[in-house]
Amino acid sequence: MTSLMDAVRAGRTAEVVSLLDGMTDAERRALFPELRQLRKELRADQWTSEARRAYPALHAAGTACQTGAAGVASWLAAADMRWWPASPGVLIDVLGDRAPAWLGDVAHRIAERPPSARVPYELTAGLVRLSGCPVPTTEAYVHGWVEHIGHVWQRGDTVLARLRRDPHLARLVAALFETDDIGSRLAWTAVEGPNSWHEAIAQLTVDGVLDRKATVDACLARLLRGGPAADHRVFLRMLQAFDLTRQEQREHIADWLALAADAASVVAAHAQSVLASLALDGEVAARQLVEMSGAVLFRTEKKLVRAQLVLLGKVIARDPSTAGELLPTVAQAFGHEDAEVQERALKLVERHVGKPGAAEVREELAVAAAQLIPTLRKRAAESLGASPVPSQPVAYEEVLPPAPEPVRVAPAPESAAELAEEVGALLVAGGDVAAFERALDGLVRHAYGDRDALLEALEPVVAGRWWAQPEPPYGSSADDYFTGYHGLNSPAHGLELLLATLLGKVRTATLHHALQHGTVSGECAHSPLTRAFEVRLCEVAYRIRTEPLPFLLSTPTWGTGLLEPDELVARLAEYGRLGARVSAADFAQALLRVRREERGPAEAAAARAATLGTTEGRRLEQWLLSGGWAAPVSRRRTSGNRIFVESGEIAELQGDFPPGLRPLGQSVSVFRDRWHCYHWSDGMEPHWLALLPEQRELVAVRMLRDLYAVAVEDSRGGAAILPLLAEAGGEAGEAVHLCVAYGLGARHPEDRLAAVDALLVLAAQGQLDTDRLGADLGQLVQCGAVKPSRLVESVRTAAATGANATVWGVLRRTLPILLADLAGDGAVAPARGLADLLAVAAECAERTGAREELPHLALTAERRGSSRLVAQARRLHSALAEGVAA
């Protein structure tokens, strides 16, 4: 026994196998507890050289020394064994003397493990071969089989040849069509030839090795089931490789109909083409075409919709007797969101409405024409006898979301246990400004009231933090973690600083130095915001250590960061009663947050503050009576595809404010501030807004580069702050509008959606300057910062919510800038997506009844040809001339 354990520890796998061969089952079972204990020792630090050396031998020995199939399967597939396992050949060798039924049980058990367990296919396949059991068809086994077949290393060997030799081919190919996420693995091999999966399987059906009907049925069923895009591509290529005969195509008409209606775009297009071929040969009934068109005409892919209209036109031309049945189906496209599709459908109806049988449905077609846009409806009134467009426009009513209501910040938790629970949740999952400020004020209050009870409640929260250990690992220092490197990079990091201070893990001298000199090395546009956020936390931590505060003066009343003046006066009065010394940074932050825009409450609170008889009371009185600072001087700077705003200095934020907050009032320069920075935490931006809840323009000017990045550099997530920026208080000036403009041209849909939300919120508040935003967008498109195709998606989404007048107000300023480039000799190619932008503008103009002259539009509408750009320009020009609301 000792010699075997020595061989296992030394990693002598061959010797271990030899020793095991000479043991009885009882001797092997007796050895297993020692092996299990060794595994426990190695698992404690499995990255050492000793562990890496011992694991393969341990893997083989533990497999051989167990008799239960479940235990062996668990040992074979264990997570700690997968890094340095024994080879499949060794494992099969040590199990080779077991009963076939037992081996089959083990094989199926490990095959049922998920692919992430990474059990070698060679091991499972070897056990299947030894036992003679039915081959598993689990996800992991099929994935392994595909990889095994696809790795063709021998000269002259191919995927097709390997498949021919596989004894379980039929069963595994059938399982292939049932396995999820298999497409990416099948696509690893060649696209064409005998090494491509789809051509190999197709050839095997031709040769009779695989049942052709069953395989084709399975392939169609897989496409009907849907799945990832990789699966669609691979199985569609396989279906095309089958090269179905006309008889086979006829047998699957129901499948083609279902695929055309619901499958992924590329699959639906193939099904549509097959059905079109059959229909033109008279092998698809008109009833089936009606069923198919009812689904296809309302798909979002315009290419499929256009192809379906073409097909219906060809079928009617081939057999005029179908006009009565098919034309009402064509008329369903009158309600399509795209005006070009509507026009195609109307042309098709007009072409065939005189055919035999169509007269019976003429009235039905006329009723359906009410869905057309006004210009087409007018045409339909003449050709179909539809109801004419009303001479008096219908009054348009804008639909905007209600202006968001601020959420009041709840009082700090009364019990230390509840506070600890909230702090723990914030550290793990984060939270909004209200949750953070509530927890921060709670920590201050409980540290002042009952520090011991707070520390006891926080024990489970800090137990897993590395800085809370008696000896922090890797030579790390809590002082450096909180005040070095790049400062407090997230709200959770700030809460950790207070927890570490309470536990005595950060030196008082370190806190004092951070308070005096800051923690951020290097300057960027965000640095003043980060410094202001940090200085209050550092001062709170320092005071917890030296002179605890009873509570925070700056805790906001509302989730936006806004503080009601009455509350601040009451807090200062309570400080005076307690004889507590005010924290400079905390009081300064309270001043920046206190509401001053509503003059009545501010002046009343100023009068009460004057009666306090304290320095802070007099300072608050002056601050409230001042009514706010003058807007800084700003100017726009343009360089290439970069358009930014520079802001001048704010004198009111200098003087009596602590040094850590004065940078908020410094000027913002495009060329002075660093371009790159380390403020990568997504959770910081809401807290930057909460620093200056009535001055969002000052925050927006420092965030312009982040919004530029989502449009020009295709970064993700930078526009998520825009809805909160729109909800914040203060003027929505040049910087705010430019931020929204960049967001509307963002690369990623979620960022564009956030920008649309911000646009709608500003509009609902009456803060949106559509002329300014439209001009910004025109300039950004013109300089290449915003792609028209992305802007189209954003404004289309906004219009779909019912904000047609708002969108029109923006586009009426954007389009003249873009159309001006086409007003010359025509040498300038139109921007890609300009036609779609005109289409959205036309729809909004039609719905709102806008009537005006748009610069350069007439020249574009008068251009020769029938391109989509010209057609949409004519549509918009006509709508503005008629001014008819839909």
Side-chain angles (χ1 to χ4, degrees), residues 241-440:
F242 289 143
D243 192 19
L244 301 184
T245 65
R246 182 50 60 104
Q247 177 60 32
E248 288 174 322
Q249 291 176 346
R250 281 196 298 268
E251 290 173 357
H252 292 94
I253 284 179
D255 293 329
W256 303 126
L257 290 171
L259 289 172
D262 298 319
S265 181
V266 63
V267 179
H270 175 74
Q272 187 183 46
S273 67
V274 173
L275 286 169
S277 175
L278 292 170
L280 294 178
D281 287 344
E283 299 187 65
V284 177
R287 174 187 53 78
Q288 292 174 314
L289 276 177
V290 169
E291 176 189 346
M292 171 191 178
S293 302
V296 175
L297 290 178
F298 286 95
R299 291 188 63 120
T300 57
E301 303 93 335
K302 295 176 186 176
K303 184 177 180 181
L304 292 177
V305 175
R306 289 195 293 265
Q308 191 66 19
L309 290 175
V310 170
L311 170 61
L312 291 172
K314 289 181 177 180
V315 171
I316 295 174
R318 175 186 170 277
D319 183 3
S321 65
T322 61
E325 192 169 359
L326 295 182
L327 285 181
T329 300
V330 174
Q332 293 180 22
F334 289 172
H336 197 278
E337 63 179 13
D338 186 76
E340 186 178 355
V341 171
Q342 292 186 16
E343 185 173 13
R344 284 173 178 264
L346 180 58
K347 284 182 179 179
L348 183 57
V349 169
E350 289 173 336
R351 187 181 307 128
H352 298 291
V353 72
K355 297 285 177 63
E360 300 175 2
V361 296
R362 192 181 188 95
E363 184 177 350
E364 182 181 348
L365 297 175
V367 172
Q371 304 173 77
L372 293 167
I373 61 175
T375 52
L376 296 179
R377 201 186 317 160
K378 182 178 180 181
R379 200 171 96 191
E382 299 173 357
S383 61
L384 302 178
S387 300
V389 178
S391 57
Q392 293 297 323
V394 179
Y396 171 75
E397 184 177 352
E398 182 84 340
V399 179
L400 292 171
E405 296 290 335
V407 178
R408 182 176 285 272
V409 177
E414 295 184 0
S415 71
E418 183 183 356
L419 173 63
E421 184 177 343
E422 292 192 11
V423 170
L426 284 170
L427 293 179
V428 173
D432 57 12
V433 169
F436 174 82
E437 293 290 346
R438 168 181 158 90
L440 182 63

Side-chain angles (χ1 to χ4, degrees), residues 423-704:
V423 170
L426 284 170
L427 293 179
V428 173
D432 57 12
V433 169
F436 174 82
E437 293 290 346
R438 168 181 158 90
L440 182 63
D441 188 43
L443 288 172
V444 171
R445 289 175 181 271
H446 284 275
Y448 178 84
D450 191 344
R451 188 189 190 97
D452 293 338
L454 176 60
L455 289 173
E456 182 180 355
L458 289 172
E459 284 181 4
V461 177
V462 302
R465 304 286 159 178
W466 67 266
W467 45 260
Q469 306 306 315
E471 295 184 7
Y474 315 118
S476 301
S477 163
D479 293 83
D480 289 339
Y481 175 64
F482 291 112
T483 63
Y485 308 116
H486 307 301
L488 301 176
N489 55 34
S490 69
H493 200 183
L495 289 177
E496 283 191 272
L497 171 63
L498 299 192
L499 298 181
T501 301
L502 285 167
L503 267 66
K505 298 298 182 179
V506 182
R507 294 182 299 127
T508 305
T510 300
L511 295 172
H512 186 265
H513 184 273
L515 181 61
Q516 296 298 316
H517 303 286
T519 64
V520 179
S521 60
E523 292 295 322
C524 68
H526 303 134
S527 296
L529 301 168
T530 301
R531 176 67 177 130
F533 176 79
E534 288 180 348
V535 69
R536 181 172 66 128
L537 292 174
C538 289
E539 188 168 71
V540 168
Y542 181 71
R543 290 290 297 270
I544 284 177
R545 179 65 56 79
T546 59
E547 186 183 356
L549 298 167
F551 52 84
L552 291 178
L553 295 172
S554 60
T555 301
T557 307
W558 306 101
T560 59
L562 201 61
L563 173 59
E564 295 296 342
D566 280 346
E567 288 193 32
L568 181 53
V569 173
R571 292 172 188 174
L572 284 173
E574 183 64 13
Y575 259 64
R577 188 186 70 80
L578 295 172
R581 183 169 64 89
V582 171
S583 161
D586 183 36
F587 179 62
Q589 176 64 86
L591 292 180
L592 294 177
R593 283 177 169 174
V594 72
R595 187 195 296 272
R596 293 194 289 173
E597 287 186 346
E598 295 184 9
R599 299 309 303 148
E603 291 172 359
R608 287 191 292 274
T611 65
L612 296 177
T614 62
T615 302
E616 289 78 17
R618 289 188 292 272
R619 175 85 186 283
L620 176 58
E621 177 196 14
Q622 296 171 0
W623 184 259
L624 291 173
L625 292 177
S626 67
W629 54 68
V633 177
S634 63
R635 64 171 178 169
R636 179 169 294 213
R637 299 295 294 268
T638 303
S639 176
N641 64 355
R642 300 175 181 178
I643 300 179
F644 293 121
V645 175
E646 291 186 331
S647 176
E649 186 178 86
I650 301 173
E652 290 86 346
L653 282 177
Q654 309 304 311
D656 294 335
F657 276 85
L661 274 72
R662 291 175 192 168
L664 287 174
Q666 292 177 352
S667 61
V668 179
S669 171
V670 173
F671 301 106
R672 184 190 65 203
D673 296 327
R674 288 172 49 193
W675 184 262
H676 298 289
C677 71
Y678 297 98
H679 304 115
W680 53 73
S681 172
D682 294 336
M684 288 296 291
E685 288 91 341
H687 296 271
W688 292 344
L689 284 170
L691 293 172
L692 298 161
E694 285 190 326
Q695 297 294 333
R696 58 181 162 192
E697 188 72 7
L698 296 183
V699 180
V701 75
R702 297 186 179 278
M703 297 174 63
L704 268 172

Side-chain angles (χ1 to χ4, degrees), residues 143 146-147 179-189 197 222 228-235 237:
H143 280 201
V146 168
E147 291 181 14
T179 303
D180 293 329
D181 298 325
I182 197 66
S184 58
R185 296 177 185 270
L186 293 173
W188 284 348
T189 57
W197 274 89
R222 183 66 182 82
D231 287 5
H232 296 152
R233 290 191 297 269
V234 167
F235 289 114
R237 282 200 296 266

Side-chain angles (χ1 to χ4, degrees), residues 745-795:
R747 162 68 176 82
H748 299 286
E750 61 268 30
D751 285 316
R752 294 198 298 270
L753 188 59
V756 171
D757 287 344
L759 182 148
L760 296 176
V761 169
L762 288 172
Q765 294 173 336
Q767 296 276 345
L768 181 67
D769 186 338
T770 55
D771 288 349
R772 170 179 278 170
L773 180 60
D776 285 345
L777 286 168
Q779 293 172 19
L780 291 175
V781 172
Q782 196 173 44
C783 73
V786 166
K787 292 180 172 59
S789 57
R790 298 176 184 175
L791 177 58
V792 166
E793 293 299 321
S794 295
V795 294

Side-chain angles (χ1 to χ4, degrees), residues 49-357:
S49 59
E50 293 81 4
R52 292 197 298 270
R53 183 171 57 247
Y55 260 117
L58 176 63
H59 197 197
T63 299
C65 292
Q66 298 183 72
T67 56
V72 171
S74 178
W75 187 275
L76 286 170
D80 57 323
M81 298 288 185
R82 72 179 59 151
W83 295 105
W84 300 282
S87 70
V90 169
L91 296 173
I92 292 172
D93 185 23
V94 299
L95 292 174
D97 59 347
R98 305 294 179 95
W102 186 91
L103 290 173
D105 189 7
V106 172
H108 278 266
R109 286 177 182 274
I110 61 176
E112 289 170 0
R113 299 281 175 146
S116 58
R118 294 192 295 177
V119 178
Y121 167 78
E122 293 77 8
L123 172 61
T124 314
L127 293 176
V128 169
R129 187 173 57 254
L130 277 178
S131 66
C133 67
V135 65
T137 56
T138 62
E139 182 180 4
Y141 192 85
V142 174
H143 280 201
W145 175 69
V146 168
E147 291 181 14
H148 173 73
I149 294 293
H151 286 79
V152 181
W153 303 110
Q154 298 178 5
R155 181 176 299 177
D157 206 0
T158 63
V159 168
L160 177 59
R162 284 192 170 194
L163 289 174
R164 285 187 188 277
R165 296 194 300 266
D166 195 301
H168 308 291
L169 177 63
R171 183 174 171 84
L172 289 173
V173 167
L176 193 68
F177 295 109
E178 300 291 335
T179 303
D180 293 329
D181 298 325
I182 197 66
S184 58
R185 296 177 185 270
L186 293 173
W188 284 348
T189 57
V191 178
E192 297 178 349
N195 274 328
S196 69
W197 274 89
H198 54 275
E199 290 198 12
I201 291 179
Q203 184 61 44
L204 292 172
T205 63
V206 172
D207 296 344
V209 179
L210 289 173
D211 184 298
R212 181 175 175 85
K213 184 178 186 307
T215 307
V216 170
D217 289 347
C219 188
L220 283 167
R222 183 66 182 82
L223 289 170
L224 283 167
R225 216 177 84 201
D231 287 5
H232 296 152
R233 290 191 297 269
V234 167
F235 289 114
L236 177 59
R237 282 200 296 266
M238 191 176 296
L239 182 63
Q240 292 168 333
F242 289 143
D243 192 19
L244 301 184
T245 65
R246 182 50 60 104
Q247 177 60 32
E248 288 174 322
Q249 291 176 346
R250 281 196 298 268
E251 290 173 357
H252 292 94
I253 284 179
D255 293 329
W256 303 126
L257 290 171
L259 289 172
D262 298 319
S265 181
V266 63
V267 179
H270 175 74
Q272 187 183 46
S273 67
V274 173
L275 286 169
S277 175
L278 292 170
L280 294 178
D281 287 344
E283 299 187 65
V284 177
R287 174 187 53 78
Q288 292 174 314
L289 276 177
V290 169
E291 176 189 346
M292 171 191 178
S293 302
V296 175
L297 290 178
F298 286 95
R299 291 188 63 120
T300 57
E301 303 93 335
K302 295 176 186 176
K303 184 177 180 181
L304 292 177
V305 175
R306 289 195 293 265
Q308 191 66 19
L309 290 175
V310 170
L311 170 61
L312 291 172
K314 289 181 177 180
V315 171
I316 295 174
R318 175 186 170 277
D319 183 3
S321 65
T322 61
E325 192 169 359
L326 295 182
L327 285 181
T329 300
V330 174
Q332 293 180 22
F334 289 172
H336 197 278
E337 63 179 13
D338 186 76
E340 186 178 355
V341 171
Q342 292 186 16
E343 185 173 13
R344 284 173 178 264
L346 180 58
K347 284 182 179 179
L348 183 57
V349 169
E350 289 173 336
R351 187 181 307 128
H352 298 291
V353 72
K355 297 285 177 63

